[in-house]
Amino acid sequence: MSNDDEHWMRRALDLARRGETRPGANPIGCVIVRGGAVIAEGYNEVDLRHDPTAHAEIVAIRRAGERLQCHELRDTTLYSTLQPCGMCTMASIWAKIGRVVFGAGRGDVHRMYFEDRHIDTLDFIRDAYSPDISIKGGVLAAVCAQLYVPPDADVSPPHKVAR
């Protein structure tokens, strides 16, 4: 693990902790870096914005596009405290992000974070997109995993919201 990867993951951890304290936000942090400088960052804002796509990675990708006035984020690295879901993985591919580094992976947290799905986005990338993007997992995984419900926790199903 490189010192740079640890450095940027610690920044993503700080963002996740900030998200954990903000009403309507959640403890997943993301930083996008190019050439040793932060391009954009964010934390999960799904409940805050009432937007199911406002994952930390999507928030950061949108901010990076606005800042750079470009939809392609070539030569960037995206750091996330949790393995990106399918939506965030595909957004990273379409944004031309060259490298994704994450902390806690599927096995480090409760399956609810991945909707109990058996499909692993890392397998998908290896099969279809490996020349376009590289993925590195497990950077400060134990520290990142502390932000989330552990894999063996007994979690009650969420309550349905009446409309």
Side-chain angles (χ1 to χ4, degrees):
M1 164 171 16
S2 79
N3 288 339
D4 283 348
D5 287 346
E6 282 192 24
H7 170 78
W8 295 117
M9 188 59 68
R10 288 189 193 287
R11 183 153 180 165
L13 278 159
D14 289 342
L15 287 162
R17 290 182 187 113
R18 194 178 320 157
E20 188 172 37
T21 64
R22 184 163 182 206
N26 295 291
I28 300 171
C30 179
V31 180
I32 299 175
V33 177
R34 179 190 282 159
V38 173
I39 301 298
E41 57 190 18
Y43 47 77
N44 186 301
E45 299 180 1
V46 169
D47 295 326
L48 179 71
R49 299 190 179 281
H50 309 290
D51 176 357
T53 69
H55 291 194
E57 299 91 340
I58 300 297
V59 169
I61 288 170
R62 287 175 179 158
R63 289 178 180 161
E66 288 173 18
R67 178 171 181 203
L68 299 175
Q69 292 295 293
C70 181
H71 68 278
E72 291 187 356
L73 306 177
R74 294 181 188 276
D75 302 317
T76 60
T77 299
L78 180 148
Y79 292 89
S80 181
T81 55
L82 184 62
Q83 180 180 331
C85 70
M87 174 184 68
C88 295
T89 300
M90 286 309 300
S92 297
I93 290 167
W94 295 126
K96 310 281 191 245
I97 290 171
R99 186 168 178 253
V100 172
V101 178
F102 65 88
R106 292 174 68 95
D108 301 318
V109 300
H110 195 274
R111 64 187 175 275
M112 71 178 173
Y113 293 104
F114 296 93
E115 297 184 0
D116 288 334
R117 304 290 193 247
H118 69 280
I119 298 171
D120 189 333
T121 56
L122 297 182
D123 293 337
F124 179 71
I125 290 169
R126 275 190 287 273
D127 291 347
Y129 293 97
S130 59
D132 302 320
I133 190 169
S134 71
I135 307 282
K136 178 180 179 181
V139 175
L140 300 177
V143 179
C144 291
Q146 290 174 0
L147 293 167
Y148 311 111
V149 177
D152 57 352
D154 184 18
V155 178
S156 300
H159 299 284
K160 298 246 181 207
V161 177
R163 304 246 175 210

